[in-house]
Amino acid sequence: MALRVAVTGPTGEIGISTIEALEAHPEVTQIVGMARRPFDPAERGWKKTVYRQGDVLDRDAVDALVADADVVVHLAFVIMGTREESAKVNLAGTRNVFEATVAGGPRRLVYTSSVAAYGYHTDNPVPITEDVPTRGTPEHYYSEQKAACEEALAETTAGSSLEVYVLRPCIVAGPKAPALAEAMPWNHLPGAVRRLMQAVPVLKPPMPDPGTPVQLVHHDDVASAIALAVTTTTAPPGAYNIAGDGLLTFSDVGKALGARPIRVPHVAAVATSEVLARLPSVPSALEWLHAGRASTVMDTSKAKNQLGWQPQHTAAETLAALANTVG
Ligand SMILES: NC(=O)c1ccc[n+]([C@@H]2O[C@H](COP(=O)([O-])OP(=O)(O)OC[C@H]3O[C@@H](n4cnc5c(N)ncnc54)[C@H](OP(=O)(O)O)[C@@H]3O)[C@@H](O)[C@H]2O)c1
């Protein structure tokens, strides 16, 4: 089988690894990537990939991107941004991609949703399986938008013959996905200050640990899941949870990334989240605090048993690889 694949967001943390996995796949013969920044695939030694600069908000550009593709992989998204700015790209841009794919010739769509689509609800089961509704958490823009995109996907593709694969990864990390480390404010301090903080433990910034477990997945393992979703002839369309094996704590993450973990009662995390939810206006960055409110540990057995996915890195190995890169 000779597959032509169109990818939105090939320059991002997941995008780079995804293109590498698709480049290495014998059945993928042609890849067209589109994002806004200038980018040269040849600099990475990619042979099958052509890149065009474009915005998913531009429907003509999206139509042209998907026109000759057998499979569309939609990765373009704004993760860290304001509620208002991210909504434009994430809702209108994503809808453009879904509608263009249904209207055009591709037979398959692979969309990376997120664990955040489930929302941080105390009545979510532990672990979460794919049949749990993606309710989102309205107070957290990213979670709300991920849930809205899944709803838009179901609505846009209803009645069409498109094969739709939805991957729901947990937090992605690793040497080529440093966003988790970059989200820690102290990692933006000058090197000398950071070294001093690391040398004197009391100077390390505190990191609250409300006891909520954390899953991590390596960028190459997400890429291999996407490549499987693009090429599988046996796994049924549908949703697949994606997370590395093993659970971490906020303390593990804090320690690895240079903080001084402080155990706080879980009720404190819930109370903080509830207070934030009641405030009339909250900076978008603070909305991420809602993520500590409830367990969102996912069951990944469907991806392993049906998609044939086998992560090569545990959550702990992924964290160590990230810490080595930023350390
Ligand atoms: N990273 C994680 O921890 C994680 C976890 C679960 C799910 N996901 C999901 O996986 C997907 C990819 O995430 P990522 O980590 O690779 O994100 P990322 O590193 O922030 O990359 C985002 C990509 O989207 C492109 N993009 C953004 N706005 C665009 C626009 N208007 N038009 C065209 N391209 C645009 C960016 O390139 P330009 O800026 O050059 O346009 C970039 O290539 C997203 O849907 C994300 O929600 C990520």
Side-chain angles (χ1 to χ4, degrees):
M1 202 189 343
L3 283 177
R4 297 163 301 173
V5 185
V7 182
T8 69
T11 56
E13 293 203 335
I14 296 177
I16 296 284
S17 300
T18 296
I19 301 288
E20 282 168 0
L22 295 175
E23 281 266 337
H25 201 290
E27 283 173 18
V28 175
T29 50
Q30 183 189 310
I31 305 161
V32 186
M34 186 181 89
R36 295 165 303 181
R37 74 194 74 174
F39 180 76
D40 180 6
E43 278 181 13
R44 294 203 165 250
W46 295 345
K47 302 272 192 298
K48 302 175 185 173
T49 306
V50 293
Y51 178 76
R52 51 179 75 156
Q53 254 180 290
D55 194 317
V56 289
L57 289 171
D58 174 355
R59 176 62 193 263
D60 290 342
V62 179
D63 282 340
L65 175 75
V66 307
D68 296 322
D70 302 300
V71 182
V72 174
V73 177
H74 177 44
L75 301 173
F77 220 77
V78 172
I79 300 177
M80 301 305 290
T82 65
R83 177 173 273 273
E84 293 72 25
E85 283 168 351
S86 61
K88 255 194 281 170
V89 172
N90 298 346
L91 301 181
T94 291
R95 186 171 275 277
N96 270 345
V97 176
F98 294 163
E99 288 181 353
T101 306
V102 171
R107 61 176 170 75
R108 183 173 295 186
L109 170 67
V110 179
Y111 166 58
T112 50
S113 182
S114 164
V115 62
Y118 290 115
Y120 316 110
H121 304 288
T122 45
D123 61 350
N124 273 344
V126 182
I128 296 175
T129 48
E130 289 82 351
D131 50 349
V132 170
T134 47
R135 291 179 282 169
T137 288
E139 303 84 30
H140 181 209
Y141 68 94
Y142 180 71
S143 170
E144 183 183 47
Q145 292 167 12
K146 279 296 187 193
C149 286
E150 290 223 17
E151 207 178 312
L153 180 61
E155 181 199 307
T156 322
T157 58
S160 85
S161 59
L162 194 68
E163 302 162 352
V164 181
Y165 290 75
V166 176
L167 302 184
R168 296 184 185 139
C170 64
I171 299 171
V172 180
K176 294 182 197 161
L180 176 63
E182 286 167 358
M184 310 291 160
W186 56 90
N187 281 332
H188 297 276
L189 294 170
V193 180
R194 268 179 43 215
R195 282 190 290 279
L196 177 66
M197 285 168 80
Q198 293 311 310
V200 186
V202 75
L203 291 182
K204 286 187 181 183
M207 167 121 161
D209 177 353
T212 325
V214 178
Q215 287 181 308
L216 282 187
V217 65
H218 195 282
H219 45 77
D220 287 343
D221 287 326
V222 180
S224 72
I226 292 171
L228 281 166
V230 167
T231 56
T232 185
T233 52
T234 52
Y240 293 90
N241 290 339
I242 300 294
D245 290 333
L247 293 181
L248 300 169
T249 62
F250 275 85
S251 294
D252 295 329
V253 175
K255 254 186 254 164
L257 301 182
R260 180 166 42 91
I262 298 179
R263 198 55 214 268
V264 295
H266 184 247
V267 286
V270 175
T272 308
S273 169
E274 280 172 2
V275 169
L276 282 176
R278 286 202 190 92
L279 293 177
S281 159
V282 171
S284 302
L286 277 185
E287 294 184 18
W288 286 88
L289 285 174
H290 295 297
R293 183 162 80 189
S295 166
T296 49
V297 168
M298 294 183 293
D299 181 337
T300 57
S301 39
K302 185 179 172 199
K304 288 173 182 161
N305 297 336
Q306 297 192 23
L307 200 55
W309 180 65
Q310 193 49 58
Q312 301 299 305
H313 310 262
T314 64
E317 288 164 355
T318 300
L319 179 60
L322 173 67
N324 280 341
T325 316
V326 295

